[in-house]
Amino acid sequence: MFIIDSLSFYRPFWICMRLLVPTFFKDSSRPVQLYVVLLHILVTLWFPLHLLLHLLLLPSTADFFKNLTMSLTCVACSLKHVAHLYHLPQIVEIESLIKQLDTFIASEQEHRYYQDHVYCHARRFTRCLYISFGMIYAVFLFGVLVQVISGKWELLYPAYFPFDLESNRLLGAVALGYQVFSMLVEGFQALGNDTYTPLTLCLLAGHIHLWSIRMGQLGYFEEEAATIHQRLLEYIEQHKLLVRFHNLVSRTISEVQLVQLGGCGATLCIIVSYMLFFVGDTISLVYYLVFFGVVCVQLFPSCYFASEVAEEVERLPYAIFSSRWYDQSRDHRFDLLIFTQLTLGNRGWVIKAGGLIELNLNAFFATLKMAYSLFAVVVRAKGI
């Protein structure tokens, strides 16, 4: 028996949730409730809104693109965060299912696959995500420090405030501090948003494959027919857990991934346009290059692991047929036949973003093509 703890990968996600919504964890004192309300009004709602309102003031082209790079990102981040808050009860149930499925890993082959594929992929993804977030915030804070040391109290991003920042240095410093604080909070929201979906899809694909290994070996070891049939019934119950797991994942990531696909496509286009036409200093160039990479890191893992899930679901009937069913009792063969028919219906299961776009690698490349198409339009408009 091997001890597997897949839930350890979710610790950063729950740390972010504890910082952002401690009320979900039964901490409902009046100061905590006030903290949660103010945080989500000032950051989740007002921060992207005050960026978008500035666009109505007809800013210069450079300010327009600089504002748009962040306003689109922040709107998407806030929407994804709200969607995750809405689905937190389902996320807790998914964790309970993962915990149950971890206990079924018993053979050396299953444990080796988990270590070499599931654990390895999850660890590489989280490491890459943390490095990318660390890089962009290191560059961001360095830029803020340089700005403060040089005595410039300008806003990081052009935005609307209901008072004159140029005539009052104190209000300008408060506005700058508000944007820095909001960016840090948005970072925790983004880390939670971008951690959950790829990790969950990775674990789902891994546990489907582990079940296939288990099912394919059924009947090849010297056991009594009654024991083999009982094991088949146990595997059918495990399959029910996988079905529930798949359904919950489809529901919890649907809205998030719709926002992700649309937001990433538009953001990539705007970032490239702003870098090519308006960025003049080295710090800003490095920042937006890292920003571009972070947006790609946000998008690619979800599409990749969703493709893995689809492939594993396709292989389920073959795993069942690979078992040694032909030497078993009539009841065993009958139950297996019915079960195979049910799994053939699983092939129609697809994870869709917003119930509209099938989430897979094709969606990733389609998003990049959309970003390029938007960029071509911007280039032509710039040329005109």
Side-chain angles (χ1 to χ4, degrees):
M1 190 69 178
F2 301 95
I3 299 176
I4 301 295
D5 183 18
S6 300
L7 299 185
S8 60
F9 291 113
Y10 287 97
R11 284 171 190 158
F13 172 80
W14 288 116
I15 289 173
C16 294
M17 291 298 107
R18 283 187 177 276
L19 289 173
L20 298 170
V21 280
T23 50
F24 181 76
F25 303 91
K26 312 302 180 185
D27 190 354
S28 301
S29 61
R30 189 62 60 85
V32 173
Q33 291 178 349
L34 182 62
Y35 158 78
V36 172
V37 171
L38 288 177
L39 186 70
H40 285 84
I41 289 176
L42 292 176
V43 179
T44 307
L45 177 62
W46 175 248
F47 185 65
L49 187 61
H50 94 301
L51 293 171
L52 290 173
L53 288 175
H54 181 75
L55 299 178
L56 302 178
L57 303 179
L58 302 178
S60 64
T61 307
D63 283 348
F64 177 84
F65 276 93
K66 184 176 183 180
N67 176 292
L68 208 56
T69 58
M70 188 50 57
S71 58
L72 287 176
T73 304
C74 291
V75 168
C77 183
S78 294
L79 291 175
K80 290 188 289 185
H81 177 64
V82 171
H84 274 132
L85 294 184
Y86 178 76
H87 289 295
L88 275 179
Q90 287 79 26
I91 292 174
V92 172
E93 184 179 351
I94 285 174
E95 287 206 341
S96 68
L97 291 173
I98 293 173
K99 190 173 182 179
Q100 291 183 64
L101 291 167
D102 283 348
T103 62
F104 298 136
I105 300 175
S107 70
E108 179 67 30
Q109 183 181 357
E110 293 174 49
H111 183 259
R112 187 166 56 250
Y113 176 83
Y114 179 89
Q115 291 293 334
D116 294 343
H117 294 81
V118 182
Y119 179 82
C120 187
H121 286 168
R123 185 178 60 180
R124 286 176 179 173
F125 160 70
T126 52
R127 184 181 298 172
C128 181
L129 183 66
Y130 300 154
I131 290 174
S132 61
F133 268 87
M135 288 177 60
I136 193 169
Y137 273 93
V139 177
F140 168 74
L141 292 175
F142 179 74
V144 172
L145 183 62
V146 170
Q147 180 174 328
V148 171
I149 292 175
S150 61
K152 297 180 180 179
W153 296 96
E154 301 174 356
L155 293 176
L156 298 174
Y157 301 98
Y160 167 79
F161 283 94
F163 41 78
D164 187 6
L165 301 179
E166 297 181 359
S167 60
N168 193 316
R169 187 180 178 87
L170 177 61
L171 289 178
V174 171
L176 175 62
Y178 166 74
Q179 287 199 336
V180 173
F181 171 76
S182 298
M183 282 293 295
L184 294 176
V185 174
E186 289 269 343
F188 284 108
Q189 291 184 356
L191 185 61
N193 294 339
D194 300 331
T195 299
Y196 172 74
T197 299
L199 276 180
T200 306
L201 290 173
C202 176
L203 294 174
L204 175 58
H207 277 294
I208 293 176
H209 187 89
L210 290 168
W211 184 90
S212 299
I213 292 175
R214 235 170 278 144
M215 190 69 219
Q217 293 176 342
L218 185 62
Y220 284 98
F221 301 100
E222 294 183 2
E223 294 178 297
E224 295 182 0
T227 304
I228 295 175
H229 189 215
Q230 181 61 35
R231 187 160 294 178
L232 171 64
L233 298 180
E234 292 175 2
Y235 291 169
I236 292 174
E237 293 300 318
Q238 293 176 21
H239 182 266
K240 290 180 182 178
L241 295 179
L242 290 173
V243 170
R244 179 62 178 166
F245 190 1
H246 189 283
N247 290 338
L248 284 173
V249 170
S250 299
R251 286 163 50 189
T252 55
I253 72 174
S254 176
E255 300 91 348
V256 172
Q257 291 307 303
L258 181 63
V259 175
Q260 183 95 302
L261 292 172
C264 285
T267 303
L268 289 173
C269 164
I270 300 300
I271 290 173
V272 173
S273 302
Y274 183 68
M275 283 195 302
L276 288 179
F277 300 130
F278 303 107
V279 171
D281 59 286
T282 305
I283 294 178
S284 296
L285 180 62
V286 172
Y287 173 76
Y288 282 102
L289 283 173
V290 176
F291 194 6
F292 182 89
V294 169
V295 174
C296 292
V297 169
Q298 285 181 330
L299 182 61
F300 176 76
S302 299
C303 297
Y304 173 78
F305 289 123
S307 293
E308 289 280 304
V309 171
E311 289 179 8
E312 295 297 342
V313 170
E314 284 282 335
R315 296 192 189 112
L316 284 179
Y318 300 102
I320 297 172
F321 189 75
S322 297
S323 67
R324 197 168 183 173
W325 53 270
Y326 45 85
D327 285 342
Q328 307 307 318
S329 65
R330 182 177 180 180
D331 289 341
H332 180 101
R333 295 198 301 270
F334 178 78
D335 290 341
L336 191 112
L337 176 63
I338 299 299
F339 183 47
T340 305
Q341 292 295 325
L342 292 174
T343 55
L344 286 172
N346 294 351
R347 294 184 170 190
W349 295 356
V350 290
I351 297 176
K352 292 186 176 181
L356 301 171
I357 305 169
E358 185 174 346
L359 191 62
N360 51 32
L361 286 174
N362 291 332
F364 173 74
F365 292 116
T367 304
L368 295 183
K369 290 177 182 177
M370 179 187 75
Y372 177 77
S373 299
L374 291 174
F375 175 69
V377 172
V378 171
V379 170
R380 291 193 63 181
K382 181 71 177 177
I384 293 174

